[in-house]
């Protein structure tokens, strides 16, 4: 798992964090989703954890992550996101 993957809570793109900062349960859910072999081509729009949190992957350089998740460009990527 590369450490440069970033995620943000759904609806809170400004709260982007690195994958290692995820709560432990969400990190486990994320890793499980990345390694899961579901036998389908569709990528996941978001990570949903059993704790109730949902995360968007905002950026990643990890091919396994990119293959599993749709990435949602965060404020650093788009450049047009209004400053808080
Ligand atoms: Zn969780």
């Amino acid at each position: 798992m590369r450490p440069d993957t970033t995620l943000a809570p759904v609806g809170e793109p400004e709260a982007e964090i690195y994958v290692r900062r995820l709560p432990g349960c969400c990190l486990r859910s994320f890793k499980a989703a990345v390694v899961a072999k579901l036998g389908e081509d569709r990528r996941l729009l978001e990570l949903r954890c059993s704790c109730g949190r949902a995360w968007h992957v905002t950026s990643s350089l990890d091919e396994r992550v990119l293959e599993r998740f749709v990435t949602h460009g965060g404020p650093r990527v788009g450049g047009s996101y209004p400053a808080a």
Side-chain angles (χ1 to χ4, degrees):
M1 184 70 64
R2 295 178 60 128
D4 49 16
T5 297
T6 56
L7 303 95
V10 172
E12 299 179 64
E14 71 283 3
E16 184 177 52
I17 58 172
Y18 281 100
V19 64
R20 290 183 175 208
R21 296 291 184 182
L22 281 174
C25 57
C26 300
L27 181 58
R28 283 193 296 275
S29 296
F30 181 67
K31 287 181 175 178
V34 169
V35 301
K37 301 290 188 200
L38 299 182
E40 59 180 64
D41 295 331
R42 284 177 51 208
R43 293 185 297 164
L44 301 172
L45 273 174
E46 62 192 33
L47 169 70
R48 285 190 176 274
C49 182
S50 57
C51 71
R53 294 183 180 90
W55 301 87
H56 280 159
V57 175
T58 50
S59 71
S60 179
L61 296 177
D62 189 321
E63 286 189 6
R64 291 176 305 168
V65 173
L66 297 176
E67 286 173 359
R68 291 302 302 148
F69 287 96
V70 174
T71 53
H72 302 259
R76 291 181 304 164
V77 178
S80 61
Y81 197 86

